[in-house]
Every structure is written in C-alpha cells, then in structure tokens.
C-alpha cells in the first residue's frame, strides 16, 4: 500500500513532468510555493546555480527548458514526511544526461528542488559494468602488459601527448578530480610542487589530525578501510594520498611547480610552463584547473623589529612541531584551529610558557557535540547502520539551498551552548572572546562564508579555560625586540618562539602570479556566498563563488574545499570538462559576474 507521503510526492512529480513536457514555465512555477528554491548542479544550467523564487525559476526555464528536454521522471524509493514537509528522491533524463533530483513539499507545493547530473549519455564512467576487462584473452602478437602500457603512458603524457586537462595542485582537490577524469577517460596531468603526493600534509606540525570524521572524508571510488581512525593523523592521510595515486593510476608530476600560464584563444589551449627532473617543460592543455585549496599565500603580519628577534618566528604552515621548544617561552598569534593545535602541542611538550594572542572573537565547537548533533545522522556508524551512505548524505546536504542552510545549522549550536555552558563560561572568564557566527549559525556557515573564525575543540579549550595556555585577548604585537614581544597595550612578553597562526590570503594571488593580475581580476573572488557577513561581502550569489563551475576566464576552473566537498563536487566539475572535450553543446545559464577583484 502506497504511503501518504509517497502518494503526495508521486502526484506532484507527475504534474511537474507534465508541465515540463508541455514546455510551459508558468505551469511549472504554479507547482512551487512562493518562497521556493531550485538548485541545479549542471543538469539544466551547465552551471552550479540556485534559482530563488518563482520568477527566477521561470526565467531559467524560459532559457533552458527546450534544450534540456527533461523526461522519464520516476520516484526513487519511498517518500518521507517530517513536521509537515514531504521529501522524495527521483530520477530523470535530459537530452544528454542521466540525472537525479530531490524535492521538499509543503502543502503539496515545492519548497526546494534539487536537480543534479549523474552521467553523460554515451560517456559513462568506467566503473561497475563498464569497468575495463583487464585480461586480453586469446593470442595477440606484440601485446603490451598492463605495466608496459602504464609505463608508456607516463613517458608520453605531457611530452609527446598533450593532456586535455592540467590540474595545478596535488592535494585532495587535485587527486579527487584527477580520479574522476581518469574514469571518464580524459587525459589529465597533475602538477605538484612537492616531491611526493601528500607532502603538503607531511610537512605540517606533527600533531595535526583531520577535524572531520572519517565518514565525511572518503575519497571517490576508494573509501577508507573499516578500521581507519575516526580522525585521521596527517601523516597517515599523506600516505593514503600517495597510495591513492598509485592504485587509481593517476598521472602526477612531483617536484613540478607551475611557473606561468597563458591562454591562446586562437588555439583554444593553455600554455603552462613547469619543470620535470630539472628541465623546463611547456604543456598545452585545453583546460586548466586551479586546485590549490581556497586560500592563497600564508598571511604573515609585518611587525617592526622582526629582523632583530633572536628566537624563531614562522607562519603556522611552516611550524615544525613542538619538540625544539621545551622550556621555551612561546607566543601563538591567532585563535583558530591551527593556533589551538600548536599551542596545545607546545604545552604538552613542556614549553615554559605558552601564550595565545586572540585578535578577534572565535567560535569554539567541542568535537563530541559536533559528533552528536552534526554528524550522527549523516556521516557516522549510526547512519551507516540505517543504510545512509556518505554519498547519500552528500546529496542530502546539496539539496539544502545555501539561503536556507543557517536554519538547519542553528539548532546544533543552540544545543551546544546548552550542553557546554560551563566550558563557555570558563572561557569567557579567562577573557576568551566567543561567538557563534554572525547569525548564530555555527562552524559550517563560517567555513562557507569566510573559511575561518572557528576552533573545532579537540581539547585545547580546557587548557585555555584553566590558564595552562595563557590568553591575551584584544591585543596584538606592536614590535619585537631581541627577546620580547611588545604588545599594543604596552606590556611585554618574553619570547623564544612566535608562531603566526594568522591564516591565508585570497587565492587570487596565485592566479595573479601564475597567469596575470588582469586575469585574477577577471576571475574575481574565490569562495564565499556574498552573505554580507564579516569577511564575506555581498552581493548575494547563492553558490560558492567560482567553485566547480564556469568562470569569467575561458577554460579556467577552480576546485577545492574540504574532503567532503572535493569528493562530491569533483563529479560535477569532471562532467562539465568531459562534456566540453566530447564536443557537446554546453550553454551556460547565469554565468556569475566577478566580484571583489584581487
């Protein structure tokens, strides 16, 4: 017997499919509530876009419906209902792709809709039933073994055969996209300035671990083993990345920084200058992907007297670890994740005194609370026991428009403030400046909006609260002497070490130096939603700026984010690249303008 939620979803989907088949945007919009959202991941728009409100949806359909030609709508599984909202998954096809969708209904009308491309027709990933055969049965004189073919590919790609795609950066972003493109049979080369995949993790301070649980951090096609730690130590992750390159057959040039790049519009190719084994090499890919994370160069404050300081000073990204600083006086400038991690490790290693300088208010989120309220229902063993996989959770997360996401996040932090009231009270008594985001929406919204301003508490907050890590809030270093840091309030701290956990600047600087300042300006701001909250200036865009989608710079793409985002959104970027390389028409609807140039 069909449940009431399923019947409601089926009725709406049939009406939706009929209105689309009629080519009537107004009939489609009549099925939506006034406060509606339609988020599209490539399927309708060849873009990542969220249309907000009936008028925007109608404009998108006016522009795209005839070309997309959607059909074959069918529910996937049973619908569910909670607090008057019916949710259902469905599948459909377009002229060129197999797609999936999700709808939330209130009183029979659509509140949110997600449409997402899954596969290009005739260009499916080489997985499952389309996996390579491997063995060539029969007699084939002169055949090459797998190892010989792989060696030949490595010798030719970038030398006698040009890659279609060059990815700058061999971290989680570069490797996840390279794996997707490998399965779509797109010749791809990753340029990594470090010698080995994972070195950018290996070189960080030794106590560094991922702050997100293992279920949130899987790589495409190859999930972590079942005995993998919940929070992955950085060296273990580095080794995994190196193994991933080998197992997935990725083409990565280590020790090959990208020195310069320029696009030739006549040829439709980039000219990327790099080096291999000490020799200069010019690559000519059709597409160039910046996969360097969403931050740029380390931000190090210019402090008078720094050149006279006799101790050690460095950015957190260059911090070697605490071992050399036993019995030393240490100052950590900053109060986000790296600052807390480094300060705690220095204290554990027996530093004589560790002082944290907090420059602005910080969101502190204890990990047990995040496990309980943010991850338990989606990325956890409990979720897996209920049949909820990380891929399913990725899609559920994607189905929530960014405009609505704060309302999903706020209850997490309401509960957190209740459960950890004592910790927060003791932190404030110690002088720590706390916040929970501009609208109390917590860590994930801060991450999306600005990529900073929070600490996922794995223990250091107790050291701050009880004074074992000394805290100076609302002050900065005014100047350095040979042995002291003079603060802006006139006081001085003895110092043998100063760590600048002061974050990173815009990624535009990488683009400006690799290509040109003009191209960096044309690209505009990378990351942020335009929420008009601190460090995320408007106007509102409704998607992360310039991420995983076409930009104002021809054939230039940006890929990055946390491991969850790299896993999930690498698919949509790979599909866009494959479609262009396969010669498909890819008319982009709503190409985002550039904002906040470098």
């Amino acid at each position: 017997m069909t449940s009431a939620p399923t019947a409601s979803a089926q009725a709406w989907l049939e009406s939706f499919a009929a209105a689309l088949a009629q080519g009537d945007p107004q009939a489609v919009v009549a099925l939506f509530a006034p406060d509606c959202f339609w988020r599209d991941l490539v399927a309708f728009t060849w873009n990542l876009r969220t249309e907000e409100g009936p008028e925007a949806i109608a404009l998108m359909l006016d522009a795209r419906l005839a070309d997309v030609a959607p059909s074959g709508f069918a529910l996937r599984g049973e619908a569910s209902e909670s607090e008057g909202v019916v949710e259902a998954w469905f599948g459909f096809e377009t002229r060129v792709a197999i797609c999936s969708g999700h709808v939330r209904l209130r009183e029979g009308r659509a509140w949110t809709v997600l449409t997402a491309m899954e596969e290009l027709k005739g260009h499916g990933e080489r997985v499952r039933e389309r996996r390579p055969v491997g063995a060539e049965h029969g007699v084939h004189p002169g055949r090459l073994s797998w190892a010989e073919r792989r060696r030949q590919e490595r010798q030719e790609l970038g030398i006698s055969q040009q890659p279609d795609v060059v990815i700058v950066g061999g971290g989680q972003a570069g490797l996840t996209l390279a794996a997707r493109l490998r399965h779509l049979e797109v010749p791809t080369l990753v340029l990594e300035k470090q010698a080995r995949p994972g070195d950018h993790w290996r070189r960080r301070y030794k106590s560094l671990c991922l702050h997100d649980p293992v279920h949130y951090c899987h790589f495409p096609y190859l999930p972590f083993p079942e005995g993998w730690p919940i929070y992955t130590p950085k060296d273990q992750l580095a080794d995994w990345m190196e193994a991933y390159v080998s197992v997935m057959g990725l083409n990565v040039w280590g020790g090959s920084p990208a020195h310069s790049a320029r696009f030739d519009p006549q040829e439709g190719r980039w000219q990327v200058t790099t080096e291999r084994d000490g020799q200069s090499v010019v690559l000519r890919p059709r597409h160039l992907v910046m996969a360097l994370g969403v931050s740029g160069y380390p931000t190090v404050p210019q402090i008078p007297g720094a050149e006279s300081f006799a101790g050690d000073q460095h950015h957190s990204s260059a911090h070697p670890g605490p071992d050399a600083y036993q019995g030393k006086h240490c100052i950590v400038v900053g109060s986000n994740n790296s600052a807390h991690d480094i300060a705690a490790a220095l204290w554990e290693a027996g530093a004589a005194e560790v002082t944290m300088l907090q420059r602005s208010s910080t969101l502190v989120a204890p990990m047990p609370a995040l496990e309980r309220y943010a991850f338990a229902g989606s990325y956890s063993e409990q979720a897996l026991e209920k049949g909820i996989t990380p891929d399913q959770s990725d899609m559920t997360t994607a189905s929530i428009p960014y405009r609505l996401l704060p309302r999903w996040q706020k209850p997490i932090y309401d509960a957190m403030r209740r459960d950890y009231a004592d910790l927060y009270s003791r932190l404030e008594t110690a002088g720590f400046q706390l916040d929970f985001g501009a609208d109390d929406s917590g860590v994930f919204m801060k991450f999306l909006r600005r990529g900073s301003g929070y600490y996922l508490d794995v223990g250091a907050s107790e050291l701050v609260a009880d004074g074992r890590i000394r805290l100076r809030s609302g002050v900065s270093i005014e100047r350095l002497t040979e042995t002291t840091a003079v603060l802006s309030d006139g006081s001085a701290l003895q110092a043998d070490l100063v760590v600048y956990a002061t974050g990173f600047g815009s990624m535009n600087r990488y683009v400006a130096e690799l290509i040109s300042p003009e191209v960096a300006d044309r690209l505009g701001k990378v990351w942020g939603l335009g929420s008009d909250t601190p460090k995320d200036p408007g106007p509102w865009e409704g998607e992360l700026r310039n991420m995983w989608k076409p930009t104002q710079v021809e054939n230039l793409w940006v890929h990055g984010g946390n491991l969850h985002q790299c896993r999930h959104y690498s698919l949509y970027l790979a599909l866009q690249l494959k479609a262009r390389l396969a010669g498909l028409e890819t008319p982009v609807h709503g190409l985002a303008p550039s904002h906040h140039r470098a």
Side-chain angles (χ1 to χ4, degrees):
M1 182 176 178
T2 302
S3 68
T6 299
S8 177
Q10 182 65 45
W12 181 88
L13 189 63
E14 290 174 358
S15 298
F16 182 60
L20 290 170
Q22 292 166 11
D24 186 351
Q26 293 306 317
V28 176
V29 166
L31 300 170
F32 283 74
D35 58 338
C36 58
F37 300 83
W38 184 334
R39 188 175 191 219
D40 182 63
L41 305 180
V42 186
F44 274 71
T45 62
W46 290 109
N47 201 350
L48 275 65
R49 273 186 64 83
T50 301
E51 311 298 343
E52 300 187 1
E55 184 177 350
I57 291 172
L59 287 172
M60 183 273 284
L61 291 173
D62 273 330
R64 296 294 305 132
L65 183 52
D67 180 50
V68 174
S71 64
F73 287 85
L75 286 182
R76 291 179 176 174
E78 294 292 311
S80 62
E81 184 173 7
S82 176
E83 298 181 354
V85 177
V86 171
E87 294 192 45
W89 294 96
F90 57 89
F92 67 101
E93 297 184 13
T94 68
R95 196 187 307 276
V96 299
I98 308 298
C99 305
S100 61
H102 180 272
V103 63
R104 291 183 179 87
L105 301 174
R106 293 192 305 192
E107 298 179 352
R109 300 174 76 185
W111 178 31
T112 73
V113 166
L114 169 74
T115 47
M117 186 179 290
E118 292 183 337
E119 176 185 316
L120 290 165
K121 294 178 180 177
H123 303 283
E125 293 178 292
R126 295 295 300 274
V127 297
R128 295 183 291 276
E129 70 276 6
R130 290 189 294 266
R131 72 178 72 219
V133 175
E136 292 183 77
H137 298 144
V139 178
H140 302 279
R143 78 166 76 190
L144 297 178
S145 69
W146 176 89
E148 289 169 328
R149 293 196 305 272
R150 182 75 178 112
R151 183 164 56 251
Q152 184 179 61
E153 179 184 28
R154 287 171 171 163
Q155 291 170 344
E156 294 177 350
L157 190 63
I159 306 300
S160 59
Q161 178 195 355
Q162 287 300 313
D164 283 329
V165 177
V166 162
I167 301 170
V168 180
Q172 64 254 27
L175 299 186
T176 53
L177 179 59
R180 297 283 191 190
L181 293 171
R182 182 74 170 177
H183 284 75
L184 289 169
E185 300 184 301
V186 174
T188 301
L189 185 59
V190 179
L191 302 181
E192 170 53 51
K193 68 179 180 179
Q194 304 294 344
R196 298 160 55 199
D199 273 356
H200 63 292
W201 285 98
R202 289 187 187 92
R203 293 162 62 92
R204 298 296 302 277
Y205 53 92
K206 72 176 187 179
S207 62
L208 177 62
C209 289
L210 294 184
H211 289 82
D212 294 319
V214 60
H215 312 86
Y216 191 73
C217 298
H218 290 300
F219 281 55
Y221 312 109
L222 193 64
F224 292 116
E226 292 186 355
W228 199 259
I230 296 175
Y231 298 105
T232 307
K234 56 101 176 179
D235 292 291
Q236 191 172 11
L237 179 62
D239 287 350
W240 175 265
M241 296 172 87
E242 190 166 23
Y244 190 79
V245 168
S246 176
V247 171
M248 305 305 289
L250 308 184
N251 293 302
V252 179
W253 284 7
S256 297
H259 293 307
S260 66
R262 73 176 186 88
F263 186 69
D264 183 342
Q266 300 300 318
E267 191 181 2
R269 287 183 178 272
W270 288 89
Q271 295 179 10
V272 181
T273 303
T274 183
E275 61 187 76
R276 191 183 194 196
D277 300 327
Q279 300 296 313
S280 180
V281 178
V282 177
L283 303 170
R284 303 183 67 82
R286 297 187 183 279
H287 295 271
L288 179 63
V289 181
M290 303 295 288
L292 297 167
V294 296
S295 298
Y297 287 78
T299 299
V300 179
Q302 299 300 306
I303 297 175
E307 69 284 352
S308 66
F309 182 60
D312 293 340
Q313 54 180 321
H314 45 246
H315 190 266
S316 59
S317 59
H319 182 61
D323 296 348
Y325 302 105
Q326 185 175 1
K328 304 292 187 180
H329 291 78
C330 305
I331 297 173
V332 179
V333 182
S335 56
N336 293 340
N337 274 332
S338 292
H340 279 84
D341 285 350
I342 291 169
L346 288 166
W347 183 87
E348 287 181 342
E353 184 176 278
V354 182
T355 302
M356 177 183 290
L357 301 187
Q358 185 184 28
R359 301 174 299 159
S360 58
S361 64
T362 307
L363 194 163
V364 172
M367 283 308 305
L370 288 174
E371 290 173 358
R372 184 180 313 122
Y373 297 120
F375 293 117
S378 52
Y379 300 96
S380 67
E381 291 301 318
Q382 303 97 299
L384 288 173
E385 289 172 3
K386 296 178 181 177
I388 302 171
T389 67
D391 286 343
Q392 290 171 319
S393 294
D394 289 349
M395 291 299 292
T396 300
T397 300
S399 75
I400 305 171
Y402 287 116
R403 179 82 78 177
L404 296 179
L405 195 53
R407 75 167 66 182
W408 262 264
Q409 296 293 308
K410 286 179 181 178
I412 296 171
Y413 298 91
D414 291 341
M416 195 177 294
R417 279 187 283 193
R418 179 195 66 225
D419 293 353
Y420 289 85
D422 177 68
L423 172 63
Y424 292 134
S425 175
R426 289 186 291 115
L427 282 171
E428 289 182 318
T429 299
F432 197 88
Q433 298 179 33
L434 283 167
D435 72 62
F436 287 87
D439 50 5
D440 293 337
S441 58
V443 168
F444 192 47
M445 293 311 303
K446 267 200 169 186
F447 171 65
L448 295 171
R449 291 164 172 170
R450 55 184 281 190
S452 65
Y454 51 85
Y455 169 52
L456 307 183
D457 180 19
V458 293
S461 288
E462 281 292 341
L463 299 177
V464 175
D466 66 15
R468 285 174 285 178
I469 293 175
R470 302 190 180 193
L471 177 70
R472 297 295 300 275
S473 188
V475 295
S476 58
I477 299 178
E478 191 168 271
R479 58 187 172 89
L480 289 170
T481 71
E482 184 177 357
T483 59
T484 65
V486 180
L487 306 184
S488 53
D489 63 359
S491 62
L493 297 175
Q494 184 178 347
D496 301 297
L497 167 69
V498 178
V499 179
Y500 301 107
T502 45
F504 299 82
S506 169
M507 187 178 149
N508 290 78
R509 183 175 166 187
Y510 279 127
V511 178
E513 293 191 359
L514 179 65
I515 308 173
S516 72
E518 293 75 20
V519 168
D521 285 347
R522 189 152 30 107
L523 176 68
K525 182 178 175 63
V526 174
W527 206 254
L529 301 168
S531 62
D532 207 23
T533 56
K535 298 189 178 182
D536 184 27
W540 176 254
E541 185 167 314
E543 292 287 336
L544 284 168
R545 285 179 171 150
N546 284 316
M547 296 301 300
W548 318 299
K549 60 184 178 179
T551 71
Q552 289 287 340
V553 182
E554 186 177 4
N555 290 25
L556 179 67
W557 307 79
V558 182
H559 179 41
N562 61 28
L563 283 158
H564 144 73
Q565 290 170 311
C566 287
R567 173 183 66 249
H568 183 62
Y569 288 100
S570 58
L571 170 63
Y572 306 111
L573 178 48
L575 290 170
Q576 292 172 83
L577 290 166
K578 178 64 178 182
R580 284 160 172 79
L581 294 166
L584 301 180
E585 293 294 326
T586 56
V588 177
H589 176 72
L591 181 65
S594 297
H595 290 292
H596 311 294
R597 291 168 170 78

